[in-house]
Amino acid sequence: MEGRRGAMRDYDVVVIGAGLGGLASAAFLAKEGKKVLLLERHYVPGGYATSFLRGRFEFEVSLHELSGLGDEDNPGPVWRLLEEVGVARRVEFLAIPEFYRCVLPDADVVIPVGRESFEESLCRAFPDDAEGIREFTEVMFRFAQEALRANRVGMKMVMEHQEEFPTLFACFGKSLSEVMNPLIKNPAARTALGVICGYYCNPPSLLSFLTYALGTVSYLRFGPRHVKGKSQALSQAFMDAIEDMGGEVWLRNGARRILVEGDRVRGVVAQDGTEILCPVVVSNANPYLTCLELLGRENTPAWYLRRLGAWSGGASTVNLYMGLDCDYRELGLAHHETFYSEGYDLDANWMKMRRGETLEPSDIAVTAYNAVDPDFSPPGTSSLVCTFIAYAEPWMRIPPERYAETKDRVARRTLQLAERVAPGLSDHLEVLEVATPLTNIRYSRNVGGSIIGFDETFAGTGMVRMPAEGPVRGLYFSGAWVNIGGGYEPSLYSGYLTARRVLEDLEKGGPLSEDMERLRKSLEKQV
Ligand SMILES: Cc1cc2nc3c(=O)[nH]c(=O)nc-3n(C[C@H](O)[C@H](O)[C@H](O)COP(=O)(O)OP(=O)(O)OC[C@H]3O[C@@H](n4cnc5c(N)ncnc54)[C@H](O)[C@@H]3O)c2cc1C
């Protein structure tokens, strides 16, 4: 629906941005009877959870594998969340039979779903490390279980009963390498476990074991999923549910300004000039943009800006979206997700990319979407995406006149790597679209084109996160930048957590001055 220029409208809550976090917050608030308006700049909802058309192909922009869903019989946290807001049954989810396949110079291993199969397949591939693999799996599952329990019972109880959380205390604050390397010696086995780090946007030595364990256990317990109709179908289902619950969604009409009075939110000015009055704003746009452009530097307290300045955005991606004129199986592919790495030092490759010493990948993910959805692309064709983690800074330094040629060079190199798992691929390209970190920035407005909000390594714990509460009363954030971080599962959950915080505050007439004071102190401590 289009907003009306100049009209004054009253809502309980305005949500800025229809990424997964914004959609989830809007849905939960609408379900609780709040009068909600969701504003999105684009003409479709979803943020990164979207698709686009090129030629006769509709490409999935982001989703490789959805974690934490399960199904009605084995419901994961995402299923429960979607069920609560009436989204679960509006979407058809597709089970991905195996977690991933990993192809290395001298190993080729399929990592199945389920703890026992995961362990067995790795032990079979790397028998000399079997004992270490079993111990690593045990530590990972115990750690995830204790971390989830700690989250439920709260830190006070954890500190008072430390003996009940031995693995949590032993591994907390450690990186994946610090936990894995003492147990597993074979570099190929470490790489087979480490290639999935791309999902968590950090290499093994920087990735907090907490993030790795929670994510991986979620995939193994509930099985990875995709969505019939691509992630756009999930985003659209959210939008439909919000409207059915009485909420309004304005597409192609984002927020231009957040209005404040004293230290409180007063409303929002939409891009088309409509002035909307509301006591609460939830921003799914990243906090830098929200504070510097929408709220204005003059309205953002220095302590909040210092906190933003102390942290950096996380990694971005380069993607090759490919429409092929053949069946993916003719190229020797059989699995939804295949990782290929040229060598065994994932950290070294990553650092070169981070420092801008190279733009070209040494390891990539090749996703063959037709493996789980035969109708993903027109009959007789297939849709493939090659992805690798990249950072925006080196891409920003390329002079505009050299951008296209650089993209071509990087694409050629990526195709060379992809040919190692899908020989003949280049001969079947009907459509090729290359997206860089700059594409991600342009589309999402996320700083550095980050796909996970802030860098997940902060303080090495993976747990020191930006809270939902913003710098002025009545302003909150939701999505990858706050609460529990990025990815589909965390961003959706973030939206739910923010909605809960808003409802609690509305109930008590808050946030109160003392709440803001507590927030200031905790953020200053983090800086
Ligand atoms: C290539 C790629 C692959 C990925 N693969 C996976 C995967 O396999 N599994 C997984 O779990 N995660 C994956 N992710 C990560 C996941 O997609 C993101 O972490 C998640 O979607 C972020 O959601 P978000 O709520 O933070 O919002 P975002 O997607 O960042 O959306 C923010 C929204 O705010 C809007 N906005 C900004 N400014 C304004 C304004 N002024 N007014 C109105 N609206 C505004 C934007 O238009 C956008 O719609 C991938 C991401 C990418 C890019």
Side-chain angles (χ1 to χ4, degrees):
M1 178 183 161
E2 297 290 322
R4 279 184 29 239
R5 182 178 292 275
M8 294 285 281
R9 317 273 301 241
D10 280 296
Y11 292 87
D12 295 324
V13 182
V14 171
V15 178
I16 299 173
L20 293 173
L23 287 165
S25 288
F28 275 99
L29 290 164
K31 179 180 164 264
E32 292 304 317
K34 298 296 163 204
K35 199 172 165 210
V36 175
L37 170 64
L38 174 56
L39 299 175
E40 169 56 51
R41 297 161 54 233
H42 288 293
Y43 62 90
V44 283
Y48 285 136
T50 192
S51 62
F52 69 95
L53 295 168
R54 284 293 179 278
R56 54 180 176 150
F57 293 89
E58 181 185 350
F59 291 105
E60 167 63 57
V61 165
S62 62
L63 184 60
H64 293 226
E65 298 190 338
L66 175 63
S67 62
L69 185 80
D71 52 32
E72 212 172 346
D73 301 326
N74 177 27
V78 175
W79 179 274
R80 291 180 205 280
L81 190 151
L82 298 181
E83 185 80 319
E84 225 182 293
V85 287
V87 169
R89 282 157 219 279
R90 292 174 191 251
V91 183
E92 185 187 340
F93 291 102
L94 305 166
I96 301 172
E98 62 291 313
F99 191 9
Y100 59 89
R101 173 186 171 209
C102 175
V103 181
L104 302 170
D106 53 9
D108 187 340
V109 50
V110 174
I111 311 285
V113 175
R115 177 182 166 157
E116 277 169 26
S117 312
F118 168 83
E119 202 173 275
E120 282 321 307
S121 131
L122 283 161
C123 289
R124 223 177 306 116
F126 308 105
D128 293 347
D129 265 318
E131 204 180 313
I133 288 166
R134 286 188 208 289
E135 196 174 336
F136 176 77
T137 311
E138 173 65 18
V139 168
M140 179 171 74
F141 271 82
R142 259 196 281 125
F143 185 72
Q145 194 184 11
E146 288 175 22
L148 290 172
R149 181 161 169 245
N151 188 44
R152 273 197 310 276
V153 300
M155 271 327 274
K156 188 166 175 285
M157 152 83 186
V158 174
M159 295 315 284
E160 283 167 8
H161 299 273
Q162 294 190 20
E163 70 290 352
E164 292 179 26
F165 300 87
T167 318
L168 187 65
F169 279 96
C171 300
F172 192 74
K174 290 193 173 166
S175 68
L176 169 63
S177 299
E178 285 173 310
V179 177
M180 175 174 70
N181 293 2
L183 298 172
I184 298 172
K185 299 297 169 202
N186 183 341
R190 288 178 186 170
T191 309
L193 282 161
V195 281
I196 193 72
C197 281
Y199 276 19
Y200 314 123
C201 290
N202 261 305
S205 72
L206 293 180
L207 179 65
S208 95
F209 183 59
L210 180 75
T211 304
Y212 179 88
L214 287 178
T216 304
V217 167
S218 178
Y219 278 118
L220 293 175
R221 271 190 66 196
F222 299 109
R225 295 284 188 273
H226 212 273
V227 182
K228 187 86 182 166
K230 308 170 177 71
S231 61
Q232 189 67 67
L234 175 63
S235 304
Q236 189 60 48
F238 258 108
M239 180 169 149
D240 295 344
I242 291 164
E243 290 181 332
D244 285 354
M245 291 185 289
E248 275 182 53
V249 183
W250 294 359
L251 297 174
R252 258 192 147 141
N253 197 1
R256 186 200 293 171
R257 192 81 191 159
I258 295 172
L259 302 170
V260 285
E261 203 166 80
D263 67 346
R264 267 190 183 282
V265 158
R266 186 170 70 85
V268 171
V269 179
Q271 264 162 12
D272 72 352
T274 307
E275 194 171 298
I276 305 144
L277 297 182
C278 59
V280 173
V281 170
V282 172
S283 182
N284 180 220
N286 72 78
Y288 297 95
L289 181 147
T290 304
C291 291
L292 299 178
E293 281 187 30
L294 302 181
L295 190 60
R297 187 181 281 267
E298 68 285 7
N299 293 318
T300 311
W303 51 267
Y304 200 86
L305 290 173
R306 270 199 299 278
R307 168 63 160 69
L308 290 182
W311 285 24
S312 59
S316 188
T317 49
V318 169
N319 288 287
L320 269 61
Y321 299 98
M322 294 173 281
L324 306 183
D325 65 6
C326 71
D327 190 302
Y328 68 101
R329 287 168 292 199
E330 289 174 32
L331 304 172
L333 291 169
H335 304 279
H336 171 81
E337 189 77 320
T338 302
F339 289 100
Y340 173 75
S341 178
E342 268 196 322
Y344 298 119
D345 196 343
L346 295 171
D347 279 286
N349 297 341
W350 198 289
M351 294 311 166
K352 276 194 224 155
M353 196 77 83
R354 182 90 170 107
R355 289 195 291 258
E357 289 164 21
T358 181
L359 295 173
E360 298 176 11
S362 304
D363 47 85
I364 56 169
V366 180
T367 314
Y369 287 101
N370 298 73
V372 288
D373 182 1
D375 303 326
F376 200 90
S377 62
T381 71
S382 31
S383 178
L384 239 64
V385 176
C386 286
T387 306
F388 61 92
I389 294 295
Y391 288 86
E393 291 82 3
W395 284 91
M396 284 170 157
R397 288 199 291 269
I398 299 167
E401 67 278 10
R402 292 195 43 216
Y403 180 62
E405 116 200 7
T406 308
K407 248 179 30 164
D408 283 353
R409 176 169 54 78
V410 171
R412 275 198 304 278
R413 162 71 178 154
T414 310
L415 282 171
Q416 261 175 18
L417 293 186
E419 289 265 352
R420 312 242 174 103
V421 292
L425 165 67
S426 309
D427 299 333
H428 291 279
L429 282 177
E430 183 179 315
V431 174
L432 171 63
E433 184 70 34
V434 183
T436 72
L438 304 191
T439 321
N440 286 351
I441 294 176
R442 202 170 47 244
Y443 189 79
S444 70
R445 306 283 324 268
N446 280 322
V447 174
S450 170
I451 69 165
I452 47 141
F454 289 107
D455 196 343
E456 302 238 334
T457 63
F458 186 75
T461 65
M463 247 191 164
V464 182
R465 301 281 187 192
M466 194 72 150
E469 294 88 339
V472 294
R473 284 202 258 180
L475 174 60
Y476 300 80
F477 292 103
S478 75
W481 292 86
V482 295
N483 294 324
I484 54 172
Y488 274 60
E489 180 179 356
S491 299
L492 286 167
Y493 203 69
S494 170
Y496 160 72
L497 290 174
T498 298
R500 222 172 59 181
R501 162 72 33 226
V502 168
L503 292 167
E504 279 167 19
D505 280 351
L506 283 174
E507 179 104 325
K508 69 173 191 194
L512 310 171
S513 308
E514 55 261 37
D515 297 327
M516 294 307 288
E517 190 52 18
R518 214 173 302 121
L519 175 69
R520 181 183 70 77
K521 281 192 180 143
S522 96
L523 294 192
E524 283 187 335
K525 212 158 88 191
Q526 288 174 15
V527 170

